[in-house]
Amino acid sequence: MFCNFIQKLFMCFLFVALQHDVPFKSIKYNGGVTSGPLFDHVADCLGDFMEKQKIKDKKLPVGFTFSFPCAQSKLDEAVLVTWTKKFKASGVEGMDVVKLLNKAIKKRGDYEADIMAVVNDTVGTMMTCGFDDQRCEVGIIIGTGTNACYMEELRHIDLVEGDEGRMCINTEWGAFGDNGLIEDIRTEFDREIDRGSINPGKQLFEKMASGMYMGELVRLILVKMAKEGLLFEGRITPELLTKGKIETKHVSKCMEILTRLGVEPSDEDCLAVQHVCTIVSFRSANLIAATLGGILARLKENKGVARLRTTVGIDGIFLLSLHRYARRLHKTVRRLVPDSDVRFLLSESGSAKGAAMVTAVAYRLTEQARQIQQTMAEFRLSKAQLLEVKKRMRVEIERGLKKDSHKEATVKMLPTFVRSTPDGTENGDFLALDLGGTNFRVLLVKIRGGKKRSVEMHNKIYAIPIEVMQGTGEELFDHIVHCISDFLDYMGMKSARLPLGFTFSFPCHQTSLDAGILVTWTKGFKATDCEGEDVVELLRDAIKRKEEFELDVVAIVNDTVGTMMTCAYEEPTCEVGLIAGTGSNACYMEETKNIEIVDGTEGRMCVNMEWGAFGDNGCLDDIRTRYDQAVDENSLNEGKQRYEKMCSGMYLGEIVRQILIDLTKRGFLFRGQISETLKTRGIFETKFLSQIESDRLALLQVRAILQQLGLDSTCDDSIIVKEVCGTVSRRAAQICGAGMAAVVDKIRENRGMDHLDITVGVDGTLYKLHPHFSRIFQQTVKELAPKCDVNFLLSEDGSGKGAALITAVGCRQRELEAQQH
């Protein structure tokens, strides 16, 4: 009968050794409340230690080994999921243990500690053993509790962004079986232990395999055997019935157990108790081996190798106190994972050395992050700084408007001779030209007024080769006229003498609606013999040279003004235009009396601000960074258009590239290797900023974009690049918003109003396509101009439709003047 019981017990406790595929239970956590005195005690212990070591005056980096299940989103944050190992301190579950310890240290107040990393003891064990054996990629604790960790491929961890490299996973396998998966191998003794524990139904695997419960398992088995008369002649002593009387350390010492139980054992009793202890400890070894086998099989599959070679770091009391335990563990692992060579390495310094190593790495990474943040801090402008930008813009606006300072002003405030916005009576067919970048458009715009107002447009796009952009003025305008000729052929309208509006998106000094003297080229144009010349006359001369058609050039139009006019056609309150695209500029309806370089004081006139040159006199030098200076020095117009170079689409990508080069030189990016791609000017286009900053884009996709650019990046690189892009574009939106705040406040003060409602017409790819620019820009305007309610209206083809509308308004104005004379 005794032999039958032992055989049944043996079979029951060894069943798990045959299990190969071991699933792991995922654990979720819920929020908690406040902390108890536990962390005050930890803080006291740390303080006493520092005092004894005479290091209390130093703020040293601290690694915190916390051997309980925690959810971590970063190294220095760990939310306790659940207590184990008989811990039950209230108010800690669901809380960040780092914050609780920091709070306790601050409460004590006589020392400082910089907690850099929270480390599970299992992870610490793996790191400690990994220091001696680089093959170590698994850590196991077999002690009071039991747990394991291993290095998982990052691409398989859905809770963490990234796909490159590996990350240590703390399995928390003590909770394996809490969902019923191992119910078929749990015994009546396991269930009794669980019922009597402080956390029934939880940590079921740990209660079958860890040191905390081993002695109690033996005691419960001996009680049953005694009750059934199989031991001690059926004698049951009070000691035998006392919970906790047998400790795990006694399991290897049969006579010590019997002495503690106060029984008078026979030789057969001693043999039986020895069998029970062996079976219980062997089951633990087999359970640990089976679950470890699951991890090893996972590693083998991840690596895609025929035979796995790896090292497992181990710590805990079992291997030290039960001399046959380790042998059994090794033997079972070899049976379950035969196609592997596994070395078991005993941790000599527990988890402390590993925690220190993790902390050292964390300290290095934190210092790197601090330096990166220090670099990006130059781009993060405070409200006070933005208000100062607004104030300085207002000063430059006034200087541009006044006759005595206009010549030296950086913000030129150029009069456009557009004296009114559309009123709905505009009618006719108009030709429009749009020159503002590498593409040139010719449009036929049919405007119909009255109750059923409509605008119908036909257009063709033509490329302007770089050799024409930077050749002679005659070549450039001959190319433009050649494109017009082709379009008129295409539309079958070469015989018609149409009124024409010329959108010319460069700084011009206008003396009338149809006369504009080019002040300076921008946006990469460098055609000779144009600056200082009337571009309308250059166009007329080129038409004469062609001798194929005639056109009535009514108006030269800036794209910003065209944007305002297009939106004003839909919304009469629109009196401001903004371009936030390749370049940056604004216009608005100024009181004519304030424009001192224009005769007359009645009514209003649209002023083309040409604010891209704001700061060319040095007034923005305190917020310009070394990266802005590098972009400026490498540009075609060094020292000019400084504001535009800080906030327009043409330059944002180049600012980002300069920052990335610097961070790479300092070893923070791309493994410290500056690729030929990164050396290439203009490679980082602003469209890539828009793509990278998209909220919908995962780091894997950011990395794909960088790889398209020839930048071999890691996921950590992608995080840094995304932050750089976000910081640069945020500053652009903010300083652009500060300029607009100055404009709307100027209009409000012009009209002597306490509160202004106004609409701004906006165009430009940066504003329209960037995922965050428009929101940050609008928010900045609202904060810096609180007395203005500004509505923003997107323009539909301001440079084409707007040019035609200005031409239509100009024709109407010309007819009125003719009637008056």
Side-chain angles (χ1 to χ4, degrees), residues 575-586:
E575 298 182 83
V576 184
L578 170 71
I579 296 291
T582 306
S584 183
N585 193 18

Side-chain angles (χ1 to χ4, degrees), residues 163 252 300 347 415 458 555 620 634 680 684 705:
D163 72 325
S252 64
K300 182 174 177 292
S347 172
H458 305 271
L620 295 179
N634 292 318
T680 307
F684 212 96
I705 292 169

Side-chain angles (χ1 to χ4, degrees), residues 50 127 197 227 248 272 286 315 353 371 385 388 408 447 463 479-480 520 531 544 559-560 602 613 616 702 750 814:
M50 293 177 76
M127 294 293 285
S197 68
K227 283 181 178 179
T248 299
N286 286 330
D315 198 2
K353 181 178 175 182
Q371 291 187 44
Q385 286 175 303
E388 188 61 30
E408 293 79 30
I447 302 174
H479 180 75
I480 288 170
T520 182
E531 292 180 352
K544 286 177 185 175
D559 56 348
T560 321
E602 296 298 317
D616 287 4
V702 173
N750 280 351
R814 193 162 62 181

Side-chain angles (χ1 to χ4, degrees), residues 121 137 208 265 280 287 359 508 518 547 549 640 665 713 803:
D121 54 350
E137 52 190 341
M208 295 171 72
V280 168
L287 282 166
T359 304
C508 284
L518 176 61
E547 295 182 343
F549 55 85
K640 295 180 180 180
K665 283 179 180 176
S713 66

Side-chain angles (χ1 to χ4, degrees), residues 807-821:
T807 304
V809 171
C811 288
R812 189 184 70 215
Q813 188 178 314
R814 193 162 62 181
E815 288 170 8
L816 285 172
E817 288 173 357
Q819 289 172 8
Q820 288 171 1
H821 289 86

Side-chain angles (χ1 to χ4, degrees), residues 645-784:
K645 288 170 183 172
M646 293 169 75
C647 67
S648 76
M650 186 170 205
Y651 301 98
L652 294 189
E654 190 61 13
I655 295 171
V656 168
R657 189 182 73 88
Q658 291 292 338
I659 297 170
L660 299 187
I661 287 174
D662 181 44
L663 294 181
T664 305
K665 283 179 180 176
R666 290 154 68 186
F668 301 155
L669 271 177
F670 308 132
R671 304 173 185 85
Q673 301 297 314
I674 300 176
S675 64
E676 288 302 315
T677 299
L678 200 55
K679 293 177 186 175
T680 307
R681 219 177 101 213
I683 192 69
F684 212 96
E685 297 174 43
T686 301
K687 69 177 181 182
F688 295 125
L689 267 77
S690 296
Q691 292 172 8
I692 286 169
E693 288 187 67
S694 171
D695 291 329
R696 299 187 302 274
L697 212 61
L699 286 178
L700 181 60
Q701 293 165 292
V702 173
R703 189 172 165 219
I705 292 169
L706 294 175
Q707 287 176 332
Q708 285 174 17
L709 289 168
L711 299 172
D712 184 19
S713 66
T714 65
C715 282
D716 285 341
D717 292 336
S718 300
I719 292 170
I720 295 170
V721 171
K722 190 165 186 174
E723 183 179 2
V724 170
C725 291
T727 304
V728 169
S729 57
R730 181 177 184 82
R731 184 193 67 165
Q734 286 180 322
I735 62 173
C736 192
M740 183 53 64
V743 171
V744 293
D745 256 348
K746 172 78 163 69
I747 295 171
R748 181 183 61 79
E749 290 174 21
N750 280 351
R751 300 174 188 182
M753 302 170 73
D754 292 329
H755 190 87
L756 175 70
D757 289 310
I758 197 165
T759 297
V760 175
V762 191
D763 202 355
T765 52
L766 188 60
Y767 187 94
K768 288 180 174 179
L769 301 181
H770 190 280
H772 306 299
F773 186 94
S774 61
R775 174 181 54 80
I776 297 167
F777 169 78
Q778 292 177 25
Q779 181 184 337
T780 305
V781 174
K782 187 175 182 179
E783 286 179 6
L784 303 186

